[in-house]
Amino acid sequence: MLPRLLDTVDAARARFAARGGTLEVIVADNVSTDETARIAVDRGCRVVSVTTRAISAVRNGGARAATGDIVAFVDADFRIHPETFVAIDEAIGNPRIVGGSTGCTLERWSLGLAVTFAMMLPLLWVTNIDTGVVFCRRADFERLGGYNEAMRAAEDVGWLWKLKRDGAGRGQRLVRLRPVKALASTRKFDEHGDWHYLRLCLEVPAFFFTRRGKLSDFFDRYWYKPNR
């Protein structure tokens, strides 16, 4: 997955460089057991080791190593649009924008995937909180404390909600850069079935009321095991 992402990052980086922009690529290695770190180094990325098994901690670890004025986050199983960094730079250049995301589309479609995707749309329309490449000013990220490391899942939603509220108090808003949507992997659907996410939407809330102690075990199985 990582080489595919880095191919698209290189293409977007070249477009950005043609406009005079510069950026650094940081790969946060979360105790991987494959060739992640070596691949990243070979591709000219800066590798940061994060040992805490939580996506929120991984994102924060990468951000702490960043030196630029803007920070952007994307998962290793995404591919980004060639104009991503140009669009982010233009958006952050507007003082009325606090940050946002690019949104995403899927690398393949089926009825189950389409229904799952459609379920998410009302929340996106109401909140303007999306996924894909998430970005903001580094000063705001540090001031607000970044991602909540107590959250084992939905940390990206939690972070953008916090950023949205903070920006609203200063007359700023979140944006969705839909013309430069990222392409999301469907590997979880390939593994568990195209309808499995609908079942999870019913099962996960039940953990809070009937099996709350097993919720962490569920997150471990679904997101963190096996190691990669």
Side-chain angles (χ1 to χ4, degrees), residues 50-61:
V50 180
T51 58
T52 302
R53 294 291 282 169
I55 300 173
S56 50
V58 176
R59 300 191 197 283
N60 286 341

Side-chain angles (χ1 to χ4, degrees), residues 97-164:
I97 292 176
V98 69
S101 54
T102 63
C104 73
T105 188
L106 301 179
E107 63 182 0
R108 70 171 178 84
W109 290 94
S110 69
L111 179 59
L113 292 173
V115 171
T116 301
F117 198 83
M119 286 179 56
M120 308 298 176
L121 290 179
L123 181 63
L124 302 185
W125 294 334
V126 170
T127 66
N128 233 24
I129 291 175
D130 209 338
T131 185
V133 183
V134 174
F135 62 91
C136 66
R137 296 173 181 86
R138 183 161 63 96
D140 288 336
F141 187 86
E142 293 175 348
R143 178 173 54 81
L144 295 174
Y147 289 89
N148 181 357
E149 297 192 13
M151 297 182 69
R152 301 297 306 281
E155 78 295 330
D156 46 352
V157 175
W159 159 247
L160 284 175
W161 185 254
K162 180 165 57 174
L163 185 64
K164 176 185 174 74

Side-chain angles (χ1 to χ4, degrees), residues 19-197:
R19 303 253 189 127
T22 60
L23 59 89
E24 58 187 349
V25 181
I26 298 169
V27 173
D29 180 28
N30 191 208
V31 294
S32 63
T33 57
D34 58 12
E35 296 296 307
T36 293
R38 182 192 60 78
I39 291 170
V41 169
D42 289 348
R43 295 291 296 265
C45 305
R46 182 178 176 189
V47 177
V48 175
S49 177
V50 180
T51 58
T52 302
R53 294 291 282 169
I55 300 173
S56 50
V58 176
R59 300 191 197 283
N60 286 341
R64 280 193 294 270
T67 61
D69 295 330
I70 303 169
V71 289
F73 306 86
V74 67
D75 292 345
D77 59 352
F78 276 76
R79 283 173 277 178
I80 71 172
H81 191 280
E83 295 292 333
T84 296
F85 301 129
V86 173
I88 290 174
D89 189 57
E90 290 175 351
I92 289 295
N94 182 344
R96 296 185 63 83
I97 292 176
V98 69
S101 54
T102 63
C104 73
T105 188
L106 301 179
E107 63 182 0
R108 70 171 178 84
W109 290 94
S110 69
L111 179 59
L113 292 173
V115 171
T116 301
F117 198 83
M119 286 179 56
M120 308 298 176
L121 290 179
L123 181 63
L124 302 185
W125 294 334
V126 170
T127 66
N128 233 24
I129 291 175
D130 209 338
T131 185
V133 183
V134 174
F135 62 91
C136 66
R137 296 173 181 86
R138 183 161 63 96
D140 288 336
F141 187 86
E142 293 175 348
R143 178 173 54 81
L144 295 174
Y147 289 89
N148 181 357
E149 297 192 13
M151 297 182 69
R152 301 297 306 281
E155 78 295 330
D156 46 352
V157 175
W159 159 247
L160 284 175
W161 185 254
K162 180 165 57 174
L163 185 64
K164 176 185 174 74
R165 288 188 301 174
D166 182 72
R170 294 180 281 120
Q172 296 176 310
R173 60 186 175 86
L174 287 179
V175 292
R176 294 168 61 207
L177 303 181
R178 287 173 289 179
V180 295
K181 285 183 178 181
L183 187 65
S185 166
T186 57
R187 64 185 180 89
K188 284 295 185 184
F189 295 92
D190 298 340
E191 181 180 354
H192 299 288
D194 288 1
W195 293 92
H196 86 280
Y197 206 83

